Amino acid sequence: MITVNNVTFQFGGQLLFKDVDLKFTPGNCYGIIGANGAGKSTFLRILCRELEPTHGTVEIPETERLSVLKQNHFAYDAYTVLDTVISGNERLYAIVKEKDEIYAKEDFSDEDGIRASELEAEFAELNGWEAESEVSRLIQGLGVSEELLYETMGNLRESEKVKVLLAQALFGNPDIIMLDEPTNGLDIDAVAWLEDFLTDYFGTVLVVSHDRHFLNNVCTNIVDIDYNQVKMYVGNYEFWYESSQLMQRLMKQQNKRNEDRIKELQSFISRFSANKSKARQATARRNLLEKITVEEIPASSRRYPFIGFDMDREAGKDILTVKNLSKTIGGNKLINNVSFSVRKGDKIAFLGSEQAITALFRILMEEDIPDEGEYKWGISITKSYFPHDNTAYFDGHSESILDWMRAYSKDQTETYLRGFLGRMLFSGDSIFKPVNVLSGGEKVRCMFSRMMLFGSNFLLLDQPTDHLDLESITAVNNGLSDFKGNVMFSSHDFEIVNTVANRIIEFTADGIIDREGNYEDYVEFRKSKGETNIIL
């Protein structure tokens, strides 16, 4: 259990949140959400006592063990996988090391014998005899081979390190688990295993994530950082989002009678409380949702950018044909004899090697040339491109956002550009900010603005949701879903891939797999073949 008493935190003169009073209890998973810069990770660091609040206290019983997902993937390079995971329980790991030192002595004294017996007793109390089997179970659940148990971390691939550090955070049944972006770099099987683990976990779990699908599957509560406040709501992310959007709409309709508003909200709560999640959580969540009053429904201050694409002309019958395309970069053959055709209405999600996807998109946008093969665009096709690396568009550019956008706009008037930028959350004097000092998220919004100005009928997007908050990711999802033209894209976001794509192409070691259907259909197809190591 964690008790937060009257916590306020200021950083560099900026108030992030104030007067926070919350209680986190066992058996629940709390998703911490908020706009970029709201203080999600900071709040997590305060809860795990890495940071001291400006005012207030955080209370955790001394008998409860806290475990935090480590972010430094190189910190354990000299350790074995086994030692890395066991070190998640600091006391157990210290006992193991002290025992080893005592038993390694040549002149084993009576005092050493007494100390060893004390350590053995504590070792048994901490389930030390089961530690190795638990480590093996955890890493295998996450998709790491048991054969790597005694391998040094420095010899592991990055994807394997991520999983081992996650196993470290889960090891030894901690009372409280804190996870900051735990699904980054995980394949679909590992994410599913983690969801099941957290859903059935007896302790208190707090998680920061931009993965809406993950938050929906594991969270019993949402902790929202907004209005410089931190508030807790019952339900998963989807319930929080839908209810907050509903409240926003109703608040704007001032002429509605209160009882009509109450009826609509109560109907919404009733409908949502029957929505499925995990079996164990569903009953508890339903009981809690039934107790929600209208006053407890959140109304968020967040603003969602508008992302929408209009076509100046509709595409003809011929869209894109790729024949026997190959490309080697740095001695690594990324694309090997790839062929496919794009039909009208196709929205294709590309999975697999990020390098291969980026190389393909750069070739199709004539930023690079293939070693072999060819491609042909239809004569009616107009393209907009969102590159994986947007550095060239901003570095060395000192012009304002307004002037940067003017270079891509047919309508050069400030009134038009101000209105356009306002929909992308650039308003007031912020439009005069130099583009070379923008944050990652601001640059991404600029790139989307640029794409929207072109009126293209074919969109290519290479990891467009990197650096975006949940609000902007939702806007991207809506914009791509509503677009009537063709789309080729890659993304780490489950919901975007699953709801936008009607076709999946995956780069594999044996070539490409090309399947009709959404992402869930594709996962089922791969599972039927006994293959589930798919990474978004």
Side-chain angles (χ1 to χ4, degrees):
M1 180 187 293
I2 305 174
T3 305
V4 181
N5 299 308
N6 198 33
V7 163
T8 295
F9 186 78
Q10 289 179 305
F11 182 76
Q14 178 187 359
L15 177 69
L16 288 183
F17 35 80
K18 64 178 180 178
D19 304 330
V20 180
D21 289 294
L22 294 174
K23 185 173 287 187
F24 300 90
T25 57
N28 289 306
C29 179
Y30 301 88
I32 301 174
I33 65 170
N36 283 349
K40 300 182 295 293
S41 295
T42 299
F43 186 59
L44 207 62
R45 291 176 66 194
I46 289 171
L47 294 180
C48 70
R49 296 170 173 171
E50 229 180 88
L51 281 177
E52 284 291 324
T54 307
H55 300 292
T57 60
V58 174
E59 297 177 5
I60 300 175
E62 291 184 4
T63 55
E64 295 194 2
R65 185 167 74 84
L66 168 67
S67 185
V68 180
L69 175 61
K70 304 292 194 303
Q71 300 297 323
N72 185 350
H73 297 170
F74 304 100
Y76 296 88
D77 277 0
Y79 291 65
T80 65
V81 168
L82 179 64
D83 281 353
T84 299
V85 178
I86 291 178
S87 68
N89 186 333
E90 293 181 4
R91 180 56 192 154
L92 178 60
Y93 186 68
I95 290 171
V96 170
K97 290 306 168 187
E98 189 175 351
K99 276 175 54 184
D100 289 347
E101 289 175 6
I102 290 175
Y103 291 138
K105 288 184 177 181
E106 293 183 4
D107 52 342
F108 192 84
S109 66
D110 291 341
E111 289 78 9
D112 290 330
I114 293 171
R115 180 58 180 160
S117 65
E118 292 172 348
L119 292 171
E120 292 290 3
E122 191 175 355
F123 180 77
E125 286 178 9
L126 295 173
N127 295 318
W129 297 113
E130 290 79 40
E132 186 169 334
S133 61
E134 183 185 347
V135 172
S136 178
R137 186 168 62 252
L138 287 172
I139 65 170
Q140 287 185 80
L142 289 166
V144 177
S145 172
E146 186 181 21
E147 295 176 359
L148 296 177
L149 208 57
Y150 296 97
E151 186 65 64
T152 303
M153 286 283 286
N155 295 332
L156 267 58
R157 298 193 301 270
E158 184 67 15
S159 60
E160 292 169 333
K161 287 183 180 182
V162 167
K163 293 178 177 180
V164 172
L165 290 180
L166 184 53
Q168 180 193 64
L170 306 178
F171 172 74
N173 297 318
D175 300 285
I176 301 166
I177 301 175
M178 295 189 184
L179 307 172
D180 195 349
E181 298 293 353
T183 62
N184 284 358
L186 295 188
D187 55 73
I188 187 67
D189 234 16
V191 172
W193 181 91
L194 179 61
E195 288 175 357
D196 289 338
F197 182 94
L198 296 179
T199 298
D200 294 331
Y201 201 67
F202 68 91
T204 305
V205 180
L206 293 90
V207 57
V208 172
S209 177
H210 285 90
D211 187 332
R212 296 166 294 165
H213 184 263
F214 180 72
L215 291 175
N216 283 332
N217 281 349
V218 304
C219 291
T220 58
N221 300 72
I222 292 296
V223 177
D224 181 32
I225 303 178
D226 200 6
Y227 291 113
N228 297 123
Q229 296 179 318
V230 183
K231 291 188 175 181
M232 186 184 296
Y233 302 100
V234 175
N236 62 9
Y237 177 77
E238 185 180 358
F239 178 79
W240 173 88
Y241 173 74
E242 294 293 344
S243 58
S244 66
Q245 291 297 295
L246 176 58
M247 177 57 87
Q248 292 282 35
R249 290 195 299 272
L250 293 179
M251 287 175 67
K252 291 176 181 177
Q253 298 171 9
Q254 297 295 330
N255 60 338
K256 284 190 69 71
R257 296 169 58 191
N258 280 343
E259 53 262 36
D260 290 341
R261 179 175 124 180
I262 290 171
K263 279 182 183 177
E264 186 171 354
L265 284 169
Q266 287 175 338
S267 172
F268 172 77
I269 293 169
S270 176
R271 237 180 336 106
F272 212 101
S273 66
N275 196 28
K276 81 107 183 164
S277 180
K278 301 287 185 177
R280 185 182 68 81
Q281 293 178 350
T283 301
R285 185 176 299 159
R286 189 177 299 113
N287 292 337
L288 289 167
L289 286 170
E290 287 169 355
K291 297 175 184 176
I292 291 179
T293 64
V294 171
E295 289 75 22
E296 291 172 319
I297 296 293
S300 175
S301 68
R302 289 194 194 85
R303 298 166 61 208
Y304 290 75
F306 172 79
I307 294 178
F309 303 94
D310 295 318
M311 299 184 293
D312 290 342
R313 63 181 293 189
E314 191 171 328
K317 183 179 178 181
D318 295 326
I319 308 296
L320 171 66
T321 303
V322 175
K323 288 184 179 179
N324 308 121
L325 214 64
S326 294
K327 181 67 177 179
T328 298
I329 298 177
N332 184 17
K333 194 158 194 176
L334 300 175
I335 304 174
N336 185 13
N337 197 32
V338 168
S339 299
F340 63 89
S341 294
V342 179
R343 301 176 299 272
K344 194 169 184 178
D346 277 347
K347 294 184 178 181
I348 307 172
F350 282 79
L351 311 180
S353 166
E354 289 189 12
Q355 288 179 301
I357 296 167
T358 296
L360 173 66
F361 285 9
R362 282 174 52 81
I363 289 170
L364 295 178
M365 292 303 296
E366 300 181 2
E367 291 186 357
D368 204 349
I369 57 174
D371 298 332
E372 300 172 7
E374 60 183 7
Y375 62 92
K376 183 178 181 181
W377 290 99
I379 58 173
S380 64
I381 299 302
T382 53
K383 305 178 288 293
S384 286
Y385 178 44
F386 186 104
H388 192 213
D389 182 4
N390 60 37
T391 303
Y393 292 88
F394 299 99
D395 282 7
H397 293 260
S398 58
E399 67 267 34
S400 68
I401 297 174
L402 180 67
D403 289 335
W404 188 88
M405 285 297 298
R406 184 176 275 124
Y408 302 108
S409 177
K410 294 175 184 176
D411 190 330
Q412 300 282 299
T413 64
E414 185 169 325
T415 301
Y416 170 78
L417 290 170
R418 273 185 174 274
F420 191 88
L421 288 168
R423 294 192 300 174
M424 294 301 289
L425 308 185
F426 295 111
S427 58
D429 290 340
S430 70
I431 65 170
F432 300 115
K433 193 174 180 180
V435 294
N436 59 357
V437 299
L438 297 179
S439 68
E442 289 172 328
K443 288 177 180 177
V444 169
R445 280 189 276 132
C446 281
M447 293 300 293
F448 271 110
S449 299
R450 174 181 175 274
M451 290 182 71
M452 289 158 57
L453 286 169
F454 291 155
S456 303
N457 53 32
F458 198 112
L459 309 178
L460 291 93
L461 305 102
D462 195 357
Q463 299 297 344
T465 58
D466 288 359
H467 307 294
L468 292 183
D469 55 23
L470 283 165
E471 292 72 44
S472 297
I473 291 172
T474 300
V476 173
N477 202 154
N478 294 338
L480 294 180
S481 295
D482 294 340
F483 181 56
K484 304 304 181 186
N486 285 94
V487 183
M488 285 172 46
F489 71 103
S490 63
S491 175
H492 295 304
D493 188 274
F494 180 101
E495 290 294 328
I496 286 181
V497 175
N498 196 49
T499 59
V500 172
N502 56 24
R503 181 177 168 191
I504 305 291
I505 293 179
E506 182 181 6
F507 282 94
T508 73
D510 301 319
I512 64 168
I513 301 174
D514 188 346
R515 295 283 299 184
E516 301 286 335
N518 65 12
Y519 183 59
E520 288 181 335
D521 296 332
Y522 185 73
V523 170
E524 287 304 312
F525 164 73
R526 289 292 301 272
K527 283 183 177 179
S528 71
K529 303 293 183 181
E531 303 168 340
T532 53
N533 58 329
I534 312 165
I535 301 178
L536 281 176

